[in-house]
Amino acid sequence: MKNLKLLAALFIFSALLMSCSDDDDELPPVNEEELITTMTVTLAPNGGGTNVILKTVDLDGDGPNPPVITVSGPMTSGVTYMGSIELLNETEDPAEDITEEVEEEAEEHQIFYTIAGGLDAKTEYENFDSDGNPLGTEFSLDAGDASTGTLTFTLRHEPKKPNDGLADAGGETDISATFPVEIE
């Protein structure tokens, strides 16, 4: 019985000590990562013509179903395309536009473009954060000679800026999608 009283007294004393702390600092707000279910990349040819749409939809996020990836058609050799990327959370109704948040927090985000598989194309950033570092929701793409390959778009949260590309950037990947593409 004596031990029980001693334990109770110690518990009350430690609770009082913790509640009387001089540390009144508030914890910083938690910035929860948003669910991105859909990425739509629109490639609009300079001078007019048919847009090429690259889209990935993964409504169950990390669930068992793979994303549905679609490409509306080939790009045309020798054409420069103006690209824009839209990010959505379509589990909400109406869909939440995550692109707005990425652009508002531009210093904390960057989209990287990876060209592979023999695709003859070159990309260039067209929008930047307030420090002049690339953001990447807008870009240009020069379609070279007829070829096939892949385009991968990777959104990183809190990358090192400036960086020398995806391998050097660090941060967390919010979404990454690879599209099979063709230049005719």
Side-chain angles (χ1 to χ4, degrees), residues 48-167:
T50 304
N51 289 352
V52 176
I53 309 294
L54 315 174
K55 188 171 185 175
T56 181
V57 179
D58 191 2
L59 295 179
D60 70 346
D62 290 333
N65 299 320
V68 176
I69 294 175
T70 57
V71 177
S72 68
M75 292 179 278
T76 303
S77 176
V79 172
T80 298
Y81 292 84
M82 296 310 298
S84 62
I85 299 174
E86 178 184 56
L87 306 165
L88 299 175
N89 175 359
E90 292 189 297
T91 63
E92 296 188 9
D93 187 21
E96 180 182 7
D97 186 352
I98 305 300
T99 314
E100 292 175 4
E101 181 178 328
V102 168
E103 290 175 343
E104 287 171 4
E105 299 173 358
E107 290 77 18
E108 300 173 19
H109 294 92
Q110 185 174 351
I111 296 177
F112 295 89
Y113 324 114
T114 306
I115 299 167
L119 186 69
D120 185 16
K122 184 179 114 186
T123 58
E124 217 171 290
Y125 288 98
E126 295 293 335
N127 64 341
F128 302 87
D129 66 21
S130 63
D131 297 323
N133 294 309
L135 172 58
T137 56
E138 297 175 12
F139 63 100
S140 61
L141 182 145
D142 292 327
D145 292 334
S147 55
T148 60
T150 60
L151 275 174
T152 301
F153 297 88
T154 304
L155 171 62
R156 285 282 173 95
H157 181 76
E158 296 187 348
K160 175 181 84 171
K161 286 188 173 186
N163 56 61
D164 293 321
L166 187 58

Side-chain angles (χ1 to χ4, degrees), residues 9-24:
L10 281 173
F11 176 76
I12 292 170
F13 179 72
S14 63
L16 285 173
L17 278 178
M18 291 185 356
S19 67
C20 295
S21 170
D22 287 339
D23 186 12
D24 290 333

Side-chain angles (χ1 to χ4, degrees), residues 21-35:
S21 170
D22 287 339
D23 186 12
D24 290 333
D25 295 337
E26 290 185 29
L27 294 175
V30 175
N31 187 8
E32 284 188 32
E33 297 302 314
E34 299 290 345
L35 175 62

